[in-house]
């Protein structure tokens, strides 16, 4: 079922979703005010109820205060280096990783508690999977279920369970109501590949996701840890672009970045997935960011997974700060944080995470423990500091500082410098190079 919306000479073909029984629903976000017409059409031409006459719709201005709606949809800036709203307001991507945040291990009350904590700390994005989960071998595992049951009732995703998605709606809408953009991951590549479901099944799945959430202020992450050996992911990406009438931002989560598939043209920005092996991984993520940002065509860059805080009792708050500042001052458009306990929504009775090594758990941290790790608070403070200045105009200037430090800014106007841990018996402060003569003020932020 599609609904054709028209305004002047523009037309939007919006997929509808089956909401159970004899009920179908369409969600549309009109980009401009004015008079519209709409008409329902169904692939079953004999179905009179789903092949209707043209009707009218009047669209007026939004009067609320939610920045995600007030400022309009997200897009890539003209210089292809950061994100902004439709009205030109810069959008700072500070993401948190809730891969398994739609499962019932995290109760509705817990979801609201975690949302409130992340809103208070300044997070603007939540990366969340609605599809096959990371590291869970096999399809339709009981751990996928939420309060409404399983998302699909057949492994090829041919029979949808509307009740599951009604409960998913409640959670995703709650994030949006709190000014947090859901970055929805359609499924995972490693463990359960695209081929396990089949391309037709994944197309059905994405049509359902686009119908339900495409009208909302969301971002699409095609898949997690994807590569071309797992199936025709890029063909799926082309299908998503062709099916989404709202043109939401689309990326792919992969350590291979633009080399994950034979082509990458349809992706709006680059998202890296580097790993979790401590300081060497953080340095690798920063180096990959620099190389990717030097690639043409230019696209924004976000590290979408690296060194989750206290993952396997490693990667503490100092490393979280190092990653954030090293990436942001190297030109990243934002950064996604992650914490043990939260990404897999661990609870005391069920850890919810398995590695690839004899199916062992990575750790037994709970989501509530992970919520209080210091790194999340410190990254929120770091974001707040950057937002006191025109952060979107910063350009990397490594020549301004010594080796192993990071710098970016606006020459002659603003310098940001980050010095990691100074080390033992090092007494000297930061040396600033290439500072133009004039009157400068400075401050130190710890």
């Amino acid at each position: 079922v599609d609904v054709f919306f028209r305004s002047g000479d523009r037309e939007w073909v919006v997929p509808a979703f089956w909401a159970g029984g004899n009920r179908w629903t369409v969600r549309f976000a009109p980009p401009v005010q004015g008079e519209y017409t709409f008409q329902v059409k169904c692939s079953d031409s004999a179905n009179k109820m789903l092949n209707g006459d043209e009707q009218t719709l009047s669209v007026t201005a939004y009067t609320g205060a939610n920045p995600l709606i007030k400022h309009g949809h997200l897009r890539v800036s003209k210089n292809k280096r950061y994100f902004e709203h439709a009205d030109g307001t810069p959008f700072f991507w500070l993401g948190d990783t809730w891969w398994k945040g739609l499962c019932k291990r995290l109760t509705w009350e817990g979801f609201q508690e975690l949302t409130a904590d992340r809103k208070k700390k300044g997070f603007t994005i939540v990366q969340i999977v609605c599809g096959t989960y990371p590291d869970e071998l096999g399809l339709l595992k009981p751990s996928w279920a939420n309060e409404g049951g399983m998302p699909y009732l057949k492994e090829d995703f041919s029979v949808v369970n509307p009740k599951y998605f009604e409960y998913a709606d409640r959670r995703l809408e709650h994030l949006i109501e709190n000014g947090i953009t859901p970055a929805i991951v359609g499924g995972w590549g490693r463990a359960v590949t695209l081929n396990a479901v089949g391309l037709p099944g994944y197309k059905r799945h994405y049509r359902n996701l686009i119908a339900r959430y495409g009208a909302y202020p969301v971002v699409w992450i095609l898949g997690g840890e994807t590569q071309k050996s797992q199936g025709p992911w890029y063909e799926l990406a082309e299908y998503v672009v062709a099916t989404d009438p709202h043109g939401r931002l689309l990326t792919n989560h992969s350590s291979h970045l633009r080399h994950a598939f034979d082509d990458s043209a349809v992706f709006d920005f680059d998202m890296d997935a580097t790993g979790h092996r401590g300081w060497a991984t953080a340095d690798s993520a920063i180096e990959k960011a620099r190389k990717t940002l030097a690639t043409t065509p230019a696209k924004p860059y976000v590290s979408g997974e690296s060194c989750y805080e206290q993952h396997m009792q490693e990667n503490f708050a100092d490393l979280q700060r190092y990653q954030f500042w090293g990436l942001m001052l190297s030109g990243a458009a934002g950064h996604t944080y992650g914490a043990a306990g939260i990404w897999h929504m661990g609870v005391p009775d069920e850890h919810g995470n398995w590695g690839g090594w004899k199916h062992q758990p990575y750790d037994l941290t709970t989501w509530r423990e992970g919520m209080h790790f210091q790194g999340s608070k410190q990254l929120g403070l770091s974001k707040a500091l950057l937002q006191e200045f025109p952060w979107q105009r910063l350009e990397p200037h490594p020549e301004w500082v010594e080796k192993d430090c990071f710098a970016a800014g606006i020459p002659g106007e603003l310098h940001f410098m980050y010095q990691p841990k100074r080390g033992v018996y090092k007494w000297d402060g930061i040396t600033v190079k290439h500072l133009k003569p004039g009157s400068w003020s400075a401050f130190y932020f710890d």
Side-chain angles (χ1 to χ4, degrees), residues 98-105 129 131-146 150-151 155 157 164 187-194 196-197 202 224-225 342-346 350-357 359-362:
W98 302 12
W99 295 139
K100 303 186 183 185
L102 295 182
C103 76
K104 64 183 179 183
R105 282 194 306 279
V129 176
T132 57
Y133 276 163
D135 294 333
E136 300 197 13
L137 300 172
L139 286 166
L140 301 182
K141 305 290 286 185
S143 51
W144 294 16
N146 68 9
M150 301 295 290
E155 291 188 353
F157 294 172
Y164 172 92
W188 215 257
R190 186 166 59 85
V192 180
T193 67
L194 186 153
V197 177
Y202 252 107
E225 295 188 292
I342 292 179
W343 73 263
H344 49 89
M345 295 306 167
E350 189 176 355
H351 58 76
N353 72 99
W354 299 269
W357 302 271
H359 215 51
Q360 305 266 6
Y362 293 111

Side-chain angles (χ1 to χ4, degrees), residues 18 102-103 129-133 139-155 157-166 168 186 205 208-209 212:
W18 178 56
L102 295 182
C103 76
V129 176
C130 190
T132 57
Y133 276 163
L139 286 166
L140 301 182
K141 305 290 286 185
S143 51
W144 294 16
N146 68 9
E147 302 93 326
M150 301 295 290
Y152 297 98
L153 305 182
K154 288 191 176 181
E155 291 188 353
F157 294 172
S158 60
V159 181
V160 66
N161 174 17
K163 284 294 180 183
Y164 172 92
F165 288 95
E166 288 176 18
H205 172 52
N208 185 38
L209 293 182
R212 294 199 80 108

Side-chain angles (χ1 to χ4, degrees), residues 39-58:
Q39 186 176 14
V40 182
K41 295 184 180 181
C42 176
S43 59
D44 178 7
S45 59
N47 190 319
K48 295 182 179 180
M49 295 296 292
L50 292 175
N51 287 282
D53 296 330
E54 190 173 86
Q55 301 181 63
T56 60
L57 176 72
S58 182

Side-chain angles (χ1 to χ4, degrees), residues 211-423:
R212 294 199 80 108
Y213 308 121
Y216 293 175
V218 301
V219 172
W220 303 122
I221 300 177
L222 181 72
E225 295 188 292
T226 54
Q227 52 186 309
K228 59 186 177 182
S229 62
Q230 301 160 352
W233 281 107
Y234 193 73
E235 187 176 342
L236 177 64
E238 293 175 318
Y239 174 82
V240 171
V241 172
T243 306
D244 179 9
H246 298 97
R248 300 306 182 210
L249 292 176
L250 172 66
T251 192
N252 182 52
H253 168 280
S254 176
S255 61
H256 302 285
L257 290 162
R258 298 190 193 184
H259 302 294
F261 313 126
D262 292 329
D263 199 354
S264 61
V266 301
F267 298 117
D268 296 297
F269 63 101
D270 293 308
M271 176 173 279
D272 186 23
T274 308
H276 306 277
R277 296 181 182 272
W279 295 94
T281 293
D283 284 333
S284 175
I286 295 167
E287 183 60 26
K288 288 169 75 175
R290 288 170 171 163
K291 288 182 178 179
T292 303
L293 287 165
T295 304
T296 54
K299 294 182 181 183
Y301 173 96
V302 172
S303 177
E305 180 182 343
S306 61
C307 297
Y308 293 158
E309 188 167 8
Q310 298 196 39
H311 179 69
M312 301 189 79
Q313 296 76 57
E314 297 287 345
N315 310 326
F316 291 86
D318 54 346
L319 180 53
Q320 305 308 317
R321 297 193 302 273
Y322 178 80
Q323 289 188 123
F324 176 89
W325 285 106
L327 287 161
M328 292 303 300
L329 299 185
S330 295
H335 179 65
T336 296
Y337 165 84
I342 292 179
W343 73 263
H344 49 89
M345 295 306 167
V347 294
D349 296 335
E350 189 176 355
H351 58 76
N353 72 99
W354 299 269
W357 302 271
K358 298 182 180 179
H359 215 51
Q360 305 266 6
Y362 293 111
D363 44 61
L364 303 178
T365 312
T366 68
W367 69 264
R368 188 170 277 110
E369 290 171 334
M371 182 175 72
H372 296 298
F373 291 163
Q374 284 299 300
S376 60
K377 178 181 179 180
Q378 293 174 16
L379 295 200
L381 293 171
S382 298
K383 166 179 170 280
L385 172 64
L386 279 172
Q387 287 187 301
E388 293 182 18
F389 302 90
W391 60 268
Q392 72 278 9
R393 293 173 54 202
L394 301 182
E395 295 182 354
H397 283 280
E399 73 279 7
W400 287 353
V401 288
E402 301 289 347
K403 182 182 178 182
D404 299 326
C405 296
F406 301 92
I410 306 167
E413 182 178 338
L414 176 66
H415 289 228
F416 259 99
M417 291 149 288
Y418 174 69
Q419 177 174 288
K421 283 184 174 181
R422 296 171 65 183

